[in-house]
Amino acid sequence: MAGESNPQEEMKVVKGPNGYVLEDVPHLSDYLPNILTFSNPLRSDPAYSVVKQYFVDMEDVVPQKVVVHIDSPRGVHFRRAGPRQKVYFSPNEVHACIATCGGLCPGLNTVIREIVHSLHTYGVTKVLGIEGGYMGFYARNTKNLTPKLVNDIHKRGGTILGTSRGGHDTAKIADSIQDRGINQVYIIGGDGTQKGAALIYKELRRRGLQVSVAGIPKTIDNDISVIDKSFGFDTAVEEAQRAINAAHVEAESAENGVGVVKLMGRYSGFIAMYATLASRDVDCCLIPESPFYLEGKGGLLEFVVKRLKENGHMVLVAAEGAGQDLIAAETSNSKTGQDASGNRLLRDVGLWISQKIKDHAKKLNFPITLKYIDPTYMIRAIPSNASDNVYCSLLAQSAVHGAMAGYTGFTCGLVNGHQTYIPFNRITEQQNQVVITDRMWARLLSSTNQPSFLHPDVVDEAQSKQSELFDEKSRTEHVKTGK
């Protein structure tokens, strides 16, 4: 019966020769077998009719991994995004809605603008803006979005629809979508938001409704897995340079000057890492993925004093999630609350580390001048730069093409430089993090000339384990060879 579901409905896996795997996305025809199709109206659009092979072949896929060995299996692939020859909605019957959820990020307005304009290109005129995030589906006002209304919003930061954390009630949201006659849902947000979008898709499918649910992944921290990067990240790195430059000027202008900059990065230190690499004025970068310690030989405080004695000034960049275990260990109540999205509330590592540096310098009778800069909300509230504007446009257009082609329960993303459709579960199953054994982190250490700050106990433990593994391997070889 239409509307019946199964636990694996959002994951359509197709396997082929030589280890080929296609992790496909759901389609309306999976549970609505008699759905009508129409010729794509872009055929007669003057902007596209001159483009050769504009429509994407149904067999086009994009590999997740491009660096392989000659005998490697072909591996996982995702469906290539883009317009199809046939669409599953008549444009004059489309009633679309757009919602933005979670924190602010450069490019939100650009995505909204391009979704509206792309739908208009298809001939869609009914586009509803849901105000205030998920709760706006059932508790807030809405606004009609027209190309004229959204034409200049990409020049402004934030989102014209407003946003919020939490407020997700699957049944209420599905009721609102059904009652309003909405048949295309575009949801812009991070991994928590995409999890919510997946639940909405499942509920609408269970009800047997012809509604496409498309996600556009948003996180300024660049911590969504699978995709090359998330929109707003380039803008955040670029804007972070201003804060780092200001910290460098302040530090360089004072005797034993120290500039401390806290950047976003709750669980992933990509902004801090890339901003540090781009700046070349940073002496030390701390991220959540790389543990450090303060006191003693090889500790952070010893390094700060050493760098000041060598150069007369230094700049330290810390991602907001760095050092949280150290701060918690010093606090009698180590428990922290959560925000409405379920994210752990963090303590201010910038203030904490600034005070630690001051206290250590005072203890050594070593005078310093320290300036602390926190540009968090300045970075995320600005309009997107040129690079992100282009990327946002591609994401929005891909989402519209996918929804019109009948795909649902998917999110758009750049994989190996190509726009793709990715199942919701693939981008929500884990967070993307900096790999501190990767070459990019090695490049950063080389740039800053900072040590790894791994505690000697950790190094000894790692060496001990490595020695045990070597001994075990030797014993195994001894048994095999009989020597």
Side-chain angles (χ1 to χ4, degrees), residues 62 228 414-419:
V62 177
D228 295 352
L414 201 67
V415 177
N416 292 320
H418 295 275
Q419 291 289 331

Side-chain angles (χ1 to χ4, degrees), residues 325-337:
D325 54 336
L326 298 179
I327 304 175
E330 292 186 357
T331 309
S332 57
N333 180 14
S334 61
K335 294 183 179 180
T336 58

